[in-house]
Amino acid sequence: MSEGHEIDNLLHEDRHFAPTRDFSAQAIAQPTLYQEAKDNRLEFWANQARYLDWAKPFTEILDWSNPPFAKWFADGELNVSYNCLDRHVEAGNGNRVAVYFEGEPGDSREITYAELTTQVKKAANVLISMGIKAGDRVAIYMPMIPEAVVAMQAVARIGAVHSVIFGGFSAESLSSRIEDAQAKLVITADGGYRKGKASALKPAVDAALSGGRCPSVDNVLVFKRTNQEVGWVEGRDVDFNLAMAEASDEHVAQAFPAEQPLFILYTSGTTGQPKGILHTSGGYLTQASYTHKNVFDLHPETDVYWCTADIGWITGHSYVAYGPLANGASQVIYEGTPETPDWGRWWSIVQKYGVSILYTAPTAIRSFMKMGSQVPNQYNLSTIRVLGSVGEPINPEAWMWYRKVIGGGHAPIVDTWWQTETGAIMISPLPGITSLKPGSAQIPLPGIEVEILDDEGAVLGRNHAGLLAITEPWPSMLRGIWGDPERFVETYWSKFEGVYFAGDGAKWDEDGDLWLLGRVDDVMNVSGHRLSTAEIESALVSHEFVAEAAVVGAKDETTGQAVVAFVILRQNQLEKAGSDADVSKILRDHVTKEIGPIARPRTIMVVAELPKTRSGKIMRRLLRDVAEDRPIGDVTTLADTAVMDIISGKVAAGASD
Ligand code: PRX
């Protein structure tokens, strides 16, 4: 693990922040959790599951007789949406605010648990009236508005399976995900507000379904958010607002088996084809709610919680749509971008709603750092008492800034490591218990077992960088890759026998705290979003200009990594296009069209050849060095000799992949 060794020397952190006595005294998580989990791990998880309401209590905890296909609480039955909504109303908390919605233009709404329950019941009735049944797949392509959560909850309520596709993905990406899941229905909106204007979503759905593609789709349910003009296909498209107005608000949630599929979420892997990660109901909700409560120290009666993730990502599933609702939390949902109308927007929201728990990504923190402390300092952030970080390693500088400027110098920071596949947080300090160390995700949560292994699977001790593996099944683990059980086994369970291979490098430091060292495969992490080098390469070579492409994630001060593409062009095609063609822009636009703006390369470098090993493997390590050596800029130089000189210089100097 050469990569790990490089970072190895940099990781040494002496700062510790012990919990204050006051915080510990009121903390939800108690140190006994660790002991309970150690004494009897399965019973510990069963106890966490019992915080949920089971229509039929489970008697089995884990069935691991056919690894890696796990079943948790398999003979139990529950309704996920009932657990997130009705039961809070029945317990007398119907008037508690479930969602404080802040639209980007400044419109706002407060939705109580009673109101949200009614909305979800109506939406469930709309879905039923459209012929959606338990097990059917429903694609959701929505902006960050409460109706997105209503849609997810309504799908869950009737035992159907949602596949949320991030609004930043293109029509092409949408189409392939709808096809793969064979979705019967698409729930979308005319558009949403982003960066000060109404941006459209419905046209991408129309394009995704055009030309006879996605024949599985019978209907498109369209929520009117912006009231912009949209195309309308009679007989296929249904007005969500009208349908809701007419729907009955009576719906009794039926219980489903614990292993009823809940959702599919596509994520990038090492090949060109995204994987549909499958999660089921009882185990997923158990771990989402257990982690949400303990990791964020949630006091549902008094806290105002805000996770800034979009519902298009796993964080928006577990820590917006499910965990907080299962726990009866009051949460903020914000539609727009952090810089609209200015960089004070988030902090004005914290001030307005008295946010006490904030969960966001290091990229955002670094962007705020760059803008300067004077922006957040203009707002009253004194309500903040817990801060969370997710999606990528948080560097100690950003950690310190986050604590000092946003957390008033005292809020504990929980650096949470997990993945789309793990479904919920796996490694994190517990506030009130753990003495915090900037930059480290620290220790596995009670109930989670991890090891760091070398390439041969031997367990590594402290101060050795290796591969992160999860050695025991956990309730919210992925149950498979949609339609591809072989790929599931191959990707996660074949590197080490019977052990889950996460794809991350890691090491324990001398205190036994865990440091994440980034991906060890060809998956990039840009702004905490997962992108596959292979997927972007295949988008690039699908353009007529490109003969060959290699994509790497180069270090980037703000976004963690940035997409840099090296391309060999087809001269004859270029000549046809004319000498003034802006190749870089054309190719970057092409990737945006094929995958979405998040995959748009920061830099395209045109080269005459790509450095390869004798076996023909592209030497990515070397390309990454080249990309990181070069000044940042979106410049392209045809047959860039400078780049080629660097490449050949490095090859001559014996660099290897
Ligand atoms: O490399 C790890 C990184 O994000 C990957 C998972 O990406 P995704 O499935 O999109 O889920 C992101 C949100 C949970 C991991 O393999 N990652 C996630 N959290 C951290 C992290 N790297 C370091 N520290 C973290 N806290």
Side-chain angles (χ1 to χ4, degrees), residues 28-46 48 72 286-287 290-291 294-295 424-431 433-434 441-450 472-476:
I28 297 286
Q30 292 301 310
T32 46
L33 281 180
Y34 289 101
Q35 194 56 44
E36 283 165 31
K38 212 167 148 204
D39 290 346
N40 190 337
R41 213 179 71 85
L42 293 183
E43 196 46 47
F44 168 83
W45 279 121
Q48 305 314 317
W72 282 87
T286 294
Q287 198 173 330
Y290 153 74
T291 51
N294 288 289
V295 172
I425 299 170
M426 304 291 280
I427 303 173
S428 168
L430 284 177
I433 302 180
T434 317
Q442 302 202 284
I443 43 172
L445 288 179
I448 301 299
E449 297 291 327
V450 312
E472 295 291 340
W474 62 103
S476 64

Side-chain angles (χ1 to χ4, degrees), residues 267 313-315 389-394 415-421 441 502-504 516 518-519 525 528-530:
T267 188
W313 309 108
I314 190 68
T315 310
S389 172
V390 62
E392 38 177 335
I394 177 165
D415 175 3
T416 62
W417 179 90
W418 58 296
Q419 307 177 299
T420 304
E421 293 87 342
D504 276 38
L516 277 314
R519 300 289 304 191
N525 191 328
H529 297 148
R530 227 158 112 171

Side-chain angles (χ1 to χ4, degrees), residues 548-592:
E548 232 185 306
V551 167
V552 296
K555 249 185 242 128
D556 184 282
E557 238 182 60
T558 307
T559 58
Q561 286 188 310
V563 180
V564 176
F566 292 79
V567 293
I568 301 176
L569 297 175
R570 290 181 200 278
Q571 285 311 324
N572 53 346
Q573 294 294 340
L574 267 183
E575 277 155 25
K576 272 196 241 157
S579 59
D580 53 353
D582 184 346
V583 175
S584 172
K585 179 167 186 314
I586 292 170
L587 295 182
R588 293 164 78 229
D589 287 350
H590 181 68
V591 173
T592 306

Side-chain angles (χ1 to χ4, degrees), residues 362-371 392-395 397-398 525 527 554-562 602 628 632:
T363 289
I365 299 163
R366 288 191 292 265
S367 304
F368 286 118
M369 253 173 100
K370 241 188 351 205
M371 304 317 295
E392 38 177 335
I394 177 165
N395 46 314
E397 298 69 37
N525 191 328
S527 306
K555 249 185 242 128
D556 184 282
E557 238 182 60
T558 307
T559 58
Q561 286 188 310
R602 183 193 71 190
E628 287 168 1
I632 298 170

Side-chain angles (χ1 to χ4, degrees), residues 306-320:
W306 182 19
C307 166
T308 64
D310 190 280
I311 43 125
W313 309 108
I314 190 68
T315 310
H317 283 59
S318 306
Y319 299 107
V320 178

